[in-house]
Amino acid sequence: MDWMKENGCMLLLAAIGVCLLVFYLLRKRRVRTFLLGGTTGLGSLILLHIYGGIIGFTPTLSVMNIAVSVFLGVPGVVLLYVMERLFQ
């Protein structure tokens, strides 16, 4: 179980990253799609940081969380929430 806690999160992030990379590559306007996804992800992370106490999840604005939210967008922020609940 320790291996799952240590490496499971990274494996899941990598799998979602590959899926989103394929999604971005199949888009006609790749850069715009990436920027829109990153902006919405960062915005949702900041909103959760400010108002997350309502649902009991207040993520810190660390480099890792910001990178996940920018590169993976809103699904990355949802993944942060799921990982927090699974690995408590």
Side-chain angles (χ1 to χ4, degrees):
M1 187 66 179
D2 289 333
W3 182 87
M4 181 63 176
K5 283 185 178 181
E6 293 173 8
N7 297 323
C9 180
M10 289 304 205
L11 289 173
L12 191 55
L13 282 174
I16 291 175
V18 167
C19 290
L20 284 173
L21 180 65
V22 169
F23 172 77
Y24 289 140
L25 290 176
L26 293 176
R27 293 280 142 212
K28 194 173 192 179
R29 297 181 177 156
R30 295 178 188 125
V31 175
R32 188 172 90 176
T33 303
F34 175 74
L35 290 175
L36 183 64
T39 303
T40 57
L42 184 61
S44 63
L45 179 71
I46 291 171
L47 284 174
L48 267 178
H49 178 72
I50 295 170
Y51 299 110
I54 296 170
I55 62 169
F57 175 63
T58 308
T60 59
L61 294 179
S62 66
V63 175
M64 181 65 177
N65 288 348
I66 290 172
V68 166
S69 69
V70 167
F71 289 116
L72 299 179
V74 175
V77 177
V78 171
L79 179 68
L80 289 173
Y81 176 75
V82 169
M83 289 297 180
E84 173 76 22
R85 295 296 173 215
L86 285 178
F87 296 118
Q88 271 186 344

